[in-house]
Amino acid sequence: MTFMKRRSFLTATAAAASASIAAPAFAQSEPKLNWRLVSAYPKSLDVIFNTATMLADHVRVLTNGKFNIQVFAAGELVPPFQSADAAAAGTVEMAYMPPQYNWGKDPTWALGSSIPFGLNTRQTNAWLYYGGGNDLLNDFYQQHGLYGLPCGNTSAQMGGWFRKEINAVEDLKGLKLRVGGYVGKVLEKLGAVPQAIPAGEIYTSLERGTIDAAEWIGPYDDEKLGLYKVAPYYYYPGWWEGQSLIYTFVNAGKWKELPPVYQQAVRVACEAVNGNVVAHYDHENPQAIRRLVANGAKLRLFKKEVLDACWNASNEVAAELSSGNANFKKIYDSQVSFRRDAYLWAQIAEAGHDNYMMSLQREGKL
Amino acid sequence: MTFMKRRSFLTATAAAASASIAAPAFAQSEPKLNWRLVSAYPKSLDVIFNTATMLADHVRVLTNGKFNIQVFAAGELVPPFQSADAAAAGTVEMAYMPPQYNWGKDPTWALGSSIPFGLNTRQTNAWLYYGGGNDLLNDFYQQHGLYGLPCGNTSAQMGGWFRKEINAVEDLKGLKLRVGGYVGKVLEKLGAVPQAIPAGEIYTSLERGTIDAAEWIGPYDDEKLGLYKVAPYYYYPGWWEGQSLIYTFVNAGKWKELPPVYQQAVRVACEAVNGNVVAHYDHENPQAIRRLVANGAKLRLFKKEVLDACWNASNEVAAELSSGNANFKKIYDSQVSFRRDAYLWAQIAEAGHDNYMMSLQREGKL
């Protein structure tokens, strides 16, 4: 795809400059702006790709057409994993990316996406907006020339597609699993062999037996890859992504230059989009899981023995990552401290209600 | 509290009128506006009172100070239960109110808040934004001269404070319970006697034994009433409010007159606030439940036998309300249809994850 070079600095249109004679403060604060955003997602992941489009639409309408954000899909301008880097460098003004894509540079980046056995979606928002989480993460992003805004969540993910059942911890030994980053480190402790494979090659890798299992996202997105045909055991929960947060990153210098009214447009739009994406997945996933099971997917719950081993391994990895990495330790400790009482409260009104409703579903009464 | 009369119609400031000579379209669409919003909540319910303040703040900043919404607490301009009526009549432009406060006029209003054994918070958002729910509700609100925007949720509520334990369905017989509307009808079927008592009188009514039990909201709000001292059994779940949605209502005529850029400011701000309030409660409730239990509250889960009886009674009431009320039937059926697969999916990734995390909490491992 081609694109035109656009001015990425603050520019006032002729109309605004003219109006400024009559009302200078007004015109100064609402310049015509054209920004570019690179998404780390392809258009085929329509829900999380459209998140950035929704953000851009909101901002455009909120600013009466004056602040335009042009959205580019993964790879159109820069490779997906370099999205945040491109915003930090000023190549573009904005990036839409799960922070964990930068895991290789510093494991602290993973904490802006999820930790194994971490908070769920709602708890993450509580930690971000009221528990100081977003501020802590931004102290880190600031060190890398970025300002970050929480802007979407896949919610709890599935554990992925397996060619064979996992009946015991030993079954993880030697298992070639398409999974990366933080959880890869955890699974290595249990003898699994994490594999880095692009999305487009997962199907054939499973079909040929080059790998034994692959994790992706959740029913709606997974369905498109058709993995149930080659690896029918669909495990849950995705204990490494009880939620998976996505950030909109803005070049730190550009963010500071942005008029307050535009900053607020981006802030409020991101907050709206952050919840809207979850609602979108919550609308699509129930239908997708029905179709997947009808097509042959076999749902399997990870056994407690397996989860316990993964929990222990996760704590070992977290301790290793915390040692000698002050940024990681500070943010991780904050999440874990919030997690304690969050899951105490979660058991009462919410789980009390949901558990009864789910029992009605199993009894065929809904 | 006193207040000045303000112009509630579209007015352009001198500055905007002056600027319009240079850029007419621009100035025409961003007039100076002063609106009034009546909240159905007192300031003491700080989380849900501040919701409307947050909405007003967002809109003011988004419109560069041109669209001002002045927020009045319950009773300052109109009695809380007349908030939406005041907006419909044009006495004020906006109201912030749980739709169920209008239950007495038509039970359909309750459906914009919650139904017994209904959707949870996330499912409600999925139904509203992607399942056609908000459009269906607005077809109804439109008949009453209002445009409604989802704007906050208490999330799953508690079942309330009881002087004695409820060990069997029979214990509900003759029970004088401070509860109203839809759930009052359901509990009447089981022999309970719903009581309408203002919040300020709940404590003394329980202390004197005038009533046997009272429901309010959740730990953070309930704590302020101190009910644990006079009715220590704190039951859950609040099966009649697995979530409880609050709407911002706008006078339908005023909404239509609003420039699109201001409509969008209100829309996006409401969507942002809708999620933010849940995060706020999710931050406060875990701490509040700890304090309540430390102060003597005794947590009790409603027994399955009791829930089953309430479930059956709820379905009887819904059938009665649906018969002869096309509005009720249409919206109720849509919610219930969405509920079926929502709780199927909820059991998999989300509950799979949360259940394991809650087991770690009970084992003291978090």
Side-chain angles (χ1 to χ4, degrees):
Chain A
M1 177 174 169
T2 60
F3 59 93
M4 301 195 311
K5 269 205 164 181
R6 286 170 180 276
R7 289 170 298 174
S8 61
F9 44 86
L10 303 189
T11 53
T13 62
S18 162
S20 76
I21 297 159
F26 189 69
Q28 276 172 12
S29 62
E30 295 182 352
K32 180 85 177 163
L33 277 189
N34 290 305
W35 276 20
R36 296 186 301 173
L37 178 151
V38 285
S39 172
Y41 297 108
K43 288 181 180 168
S44 56
L45 289 174
D46 59 316
V47 174
I48 30 181
F49 175 75
N50 287 334
T51 302
T53 313
M54 192 190 295
L55 165 62
D57 287 347
H58 281 347
V59 170
R60 182 162 40 248
V61 180
L62 285 170
T63 61
N64 229 341
K66 293 189 285 283
F67 184 10
N68 282 283
I69 299 164
Q70 192 180 4
V71 176
F72 295 88
E76 284 183 352
L77 294 192
V78 297
F81 281 74
Q82 292 170 28
S83 303
D85 285 355
T91 311
V92 294
E93 291 81 7
M94 298 172 92
Y96 185 68
M97 192 184 88
Q100 65 188 356
Y101 276 13
N102 269 353
W103 154 271
K105 297 169 194 288
D106 181 334
T108 309
W109 285 95
L111 303 176
S113 289
S114 59
I115 61 170
F117 301 101
L119 304 171
N120 68 18
T121 304
R122 276 177 47 180
Q123 292 163 350
T124 297
N125 288 337
W127 176 71
L128 287 169
Y129 297 131
Y130 288 93
N134 189 44
D135 290 340
L136 279 176
L137 288 166
N138 267 293
D139 288 345
F140 176 71
Y141 300 147
Q142 175 67 31
Q143 298 169 20
H144 298 271
L146 293 167
Y147 179 75
L149 304 104
C151 191
N153 202 312
T154 64
S155 67
Q157 297 198 5
M158 292 293 286
W161 300 89
F162 290 70
R163 283 160 48 102
K164 291 182 190 160
E165 289 185 84
I166 302 296
N167 292 311
V169 182
E170 289 68 45
D171 293 343
L172 294 172
K173 273 204 186 112
L175 194 86
K176 282 176 282 178
L177 191 92
R178 189 263 180 201
V179 78
Y182 199 153
V183 65
K185 282 265 179 208
V186 174
L187 286 167
E188 269 180 337
K189 291 218 175 263
L190 301 169
V193 189
Q195 308 281 316
I197 291 172
E201 294 169 27
I202 297 176
Y203 187 97
T204 48
S205 302
L206 281 168
E207 193 177 30
R208 290 177 194 158
T210 317
I211 56 171
D212 305 302
E215 70 105 35
W216 190 231
I217 304 176
Y220 180 69
D221 292 321
D222 287 13
E223 192 183 17
K224 296 171 190 165
L225 300 184
L227 307 183
Y228 58 90
K229 296 174 202 161
V230 286
Y233 300 103
Y234 198 21
Y235 270 89
Y236 68 94
W239 46 266
W240 52 94
E241 281 174 306
Q243 58 81 38
S244 197
L245 182 62
I246 309 158
Y247 260 83
T248 289
F249 290 110
V250 186
N251 175 282
K254 296 286 176 194
W255 177 256
K256 271 186 205 148
E257 287 171 18
L258 210 56
V261 64
Y262 289 2
Q263 286 185 344
Q264 183 73 349
V266 175
R267 255 194 224 108
V268 179
C270 281
E271 207 169 304
V273 166
N274 193 34
N276 191 291
V277 175
V278 175
H280 198 170
Y281 272 120
D282 283 344
H283 183 257
E284 302 301 339
N285 280 330
Q287 303 167 52
I289 196 77
R290 268 206 181 280
R291 290 191 301 265
L292 283 166
V293 170
N295 285 328
K298 297 175 203 304
L299 284 169
R300 292 291 182 275
L301 174 66
F302 281 122
K303 291 192 171 154
K304 181 163 163 50
E305 179 211 325
V306 174
L307 291 174
D308 285 345
C310 296
W311 160 253
N312 289 331
S314 296
N315 289 334
E316 282 176 42
V317 171
E320 288 162 16
L321 295 172
S322 289
S323 134
N325 186 330
N327 282 321
F328 186 95
K329 184 171 172 17
K330 192 175 179 184
I331 304 170
Y332 180 85
D333 287 353
S334 170
Q335 273 190 38
V336 164
S337 156
F338 191 83
R339 183 176 68 179
R340 211 164 291 130
D341 282 354
Y343 281 108
L344 165 64
W345 165 238
Q347 289 171 69
I348 305 171
E350 295 291 343
H353 178 264
D354 286 0
N355 285 343
Y356 182 72
M357 295 307 297
M358 295 188 287
S359 77
L360 291 174
Q361 196 280 333
R362 288 191 297 274
E363 291 164 17
K365 291 182 179 167
L366 290 188
Chain B
M1 176 173 168
T2 60
F3 59 93
M4 301 195 310
K5 268 205 167 182
R6 285 171 181 277
R7 290 170 299 174
S8 60
F9 45 87
L10 303 189
T11 53
T13 63
S18 162
S20 75
I21 297 162
F26 189 67
Q28 274 172 15
S29 62
E30 295 181 351
K32 180 84 178 164
L33 277 188
N34 289 304
W35 275 20
R36 295 187 301 173
L37 178 152
V38 285
S39 172
Y41 296 109
K43 289 182 180 167
S44 56
L45 290 173
D46 58 313
V47 174
I48 29 181
F49 175 75
N50 287 334
T51 303
T53 312
M54 193 190 294
L55 166 63
D57 287 346
H58 281 348
V59 171
R60 182 163 38 246
V61 180
L62 286 170
T63 61
N64 227 341
K66 294 189 284 285
F67 183 10
N68 282 284
I69 299 165
Q70 193 180 2
V71 176
F72 295 88
E76 285 184 351
L77 294 190
V78 296
F81 281 74
Q82 292 170 28
S83 304
D85 285 355
T91 311
V92 293
E93 292 81 7
M94 299 174 91
Y96 185 69
M97 191 183 89
Q100 64 186 356
Y101 276 13
N102 269 354
W103 153 271
K105 298 169 194 288
D106 181 334
T108 309
W109 285 96
L111 302 175
S113 290
S114 59
I115 60 170
F117 301 101
L119 304 171
N120 69 19
T121 303
R122 276 178 45 181
Q123 293 164 348
T124 297
N125 287 337
W127 176 72
L128 286 170
Y129 296 131
Y130 288 92
N134 189 42
D135 290 340
L136 280 175
L137 287 167
N138 266 293
D139 288 345
F140 176 71
Y141 300 146
Q142 176 66 31
Q143 298 168 22
H144 298 272
L146 293 167
Y147 179 75
L149 303 104
C151 192
N153 202 314
T154 64
S155 68
Q157 297 197 5
M158 292 292 286
W161 301 89
F162 291 69
R163 284 162 46 103
K164 289 180 190 161
E165 288 185 85
I166 302 297
N167 291 311
V169 183
E170 289 69 44
D171 293 342
L172 294 172
K173 270 198 188 121
L175 194 87
K176 284 175 282 178
L177 191 92
R178 189 266 178 198
V179 79
Y182 199 152
V183 64
K185 282 265 181 209
V186 174
L187 286 166
E188 269 179 338
K189 293 221 175 260
L190 300 169
V193 189
Q195 307 281 316
I197 291 173
E201 293 168 27
I202 296 176
Y203 187 96
T204 48
S205 302
L206 281 168
E207 193 177 31
R208 291 175 193 157
T210 317
I211 57 172
D212 304 303
E215 71 105 37
W216 189 231
I217 303 174
Y220 181 69
D221 292 321
D222 288 14
E223 191 183 18
K224 295 171 193 166
L225 301 183
L227 306 183
Y228 58 89
K229 294 175 203 160
V230 286
Y233 299 103
Y234 197 21
Y235 269 90
Y236 67 95
W239 47 265
W240 51 94
E241 281 175 306
Q243 59 81 37
S244 197
L245 181 63
I246 309 159
Y247 260 82
T248 289
F249 290 110
V250 186
N251 175 283
K254 297 285 177 195
W255 178 256
K256 270 185 206 149
E257 287 171 18
L258 210 58
V261 64
Y262 288 2
Q263 286 184 344
Q264 183 72 351
V266 175
R267 255 194 224 106
V268 179
C270 281
E271 209 169 301
V273 166
N274 193 35
N276 190 289
V277 175
V278 175
H280 198 169
Y281 272 120
D282 283 344
H283 183 257
E284 302 301 339
N285 279 329
Q287 303 168 50
I289 196 78
R290 269 206 180 280
R291 289 191 301 264
L292 282 166
V293 170
N295 284 327
K298 296 173 204 304
L299 284 169
R300 292 290 182 276
L301 175 66
F302 281 122
K303 291 191 171 157
K304 181 163 161 54
E305 179 211 325
V306 173
L307 291 173
D308 284 344
C310 296
W311 160 253
N312 290 331
S314 296
N315 289 334
E316 283 177 42
V317 171
E320 289 162 14
L321 295 172
S322 289
S323 135
N325 187 331
N327 282 321
F328 185 96
K329 185 172 172 17
K330 193 175 179 184
I331 303 170
Y332 180 84
D333 287 353
S334 170
Q335 272 190 37
V336 164
S337 156
F338 191 84
R339 183 176 66 181
R340 211 165 291 133
D341 282 354
Y343 281 108
L344 165 63
W345 165 238
Q347 289 170 70
I348 305 171
E350 294 291 344
H353 179 264
D354 285 1
N355 285 342
Y356 182 72
M357 295 308 297
M358 294 187 288
S359 77
L360 291 174
Q361 195 281 332
R362 287 191 297 275
E363 291 165 16
K365 291 181 179 166
L366 291 188

